Amino acid sequence: MADRIRVGVVGAHAERGWGRGIHLPALSALDDFEVTAVAGTSEESARAAAGVWGARNAYADARALMADPDVDLVTIAVQLPQRDGLVEAAIAAGKHVYSEWPLALDAPTAQRFETAARAAGVQHAVGLQSRHHPAVRLLRDLLAQGLIGEVLSASLLYSLSTPEVWSQRYAALFDKTKGVNHVAVVGGHSLDMFQYAVGNFTEVSATLTTRIDRITMEETGREIEVTSPDQIVAGGLLESGAAASAHFMTGGPRGDGFRIEVHGRAGRLVLVSSDDSLVGPQFTLTHTTANGSPAVEVPVPDTYRPLLPGPPSPVSNVAQVYTDLATAIRTGAPFAPDFSTAARTHRLLDAIKSSAEQGVRERLTC
């Protein structure tokens, strides 16, 4: 491998998209990487993207990019419905892989990807970058240090405003079969962040329902039926034995964002976001002691500052994933979030869906 890790990006676009807005600035800020190839939906779009991304090679076929000897790491930045076979193809080509979230439609598929990557000896990362927000990492460490004593319970509340008129390119969000709906995307990102801080669920009971059952396509004015849930309620136990709950409320003109509340024998920690952004929330952490004193804000120490200059952002969080992945590629050191992280999160999402459908409590292995 060259001194710099050579990246081929599947789903690179010249003007828009998560890859263009987040992966490109993250990679551009890191000395460990260079983008050597991009793949688009056509030769024309690939050439346009190559000019923006600074890549030498442009492909209309993602598998041709994976065969390029100047590519060490394949970043797969296309949505799950357009990703059929790409993760397996990158692994089979012997490339390290960074796949956007969701990794797969279900946990067995995600586990198969993880097994294949380990057998091939390639490193693997998944786009569950919210865990790298400095305030989330601080919450995790304060709990581990016992600031509030034994944890008795933890809750996650996330309210998200959603319009009722959407661009056609987001239609898959409202189809429960596509794997990019609120359960997978909102639930997956948020629950990974929650479990990273407070520990993993070992059992869960859930209720899912759809309250906004029709939305309008902006381009055509046509109404489409919504089959994916917009209200997700789950509760159960964590591996520590603490009770835990999560409620995702989507819809309406305004949301209040995240609230994670952790109760312990010696106090309480509350993490609250300033808005309902899923991709780049800014958090405030407060601490209340057992003596009933008013809550006080816990400043985030400089040692938790984002990897890149400026306030915490998705770009900085993704850059941290890439930085840790580079260390894993060079040394073989374990890191997260990887495909194992993804498989565990998919198992929780599968259990939530199964519990809601069957009306039973589901048990999970950590």
Side-chain angles (χ1 to χ4, degrees), residues 311-352:
S313 70
V315 173
S316 184
N317 293 342
V318 168
Q320 187 66 62
V321 177
Y322 274 114
T323 297
D324 295 343
L325 176 58
T327 300
I329 289 172
R330 297 190 188 286
T331 69
F335 88 106
D338 61 0
F339 285 6
S340 176
T341 310
R344 182 171 61 246
T345 304
H346 275 296
R347 283 195 292 273
L348 175 56
L349 297 180
D350 287 357
I352 287 172

Side-chain angles (χ1 to χ4, degrees), residues 237-262:
L237 296 178
L238 303 177
E239 53 196 336
S240 66
S245 65
H247 186 181
F248 303 98
M249 302 181 290
T250 58
R254 177 175 172 79
D256 283 334
F258 287 96
R259 180 182 177 89
I260 295 176
E261 189 165 345
V262 188

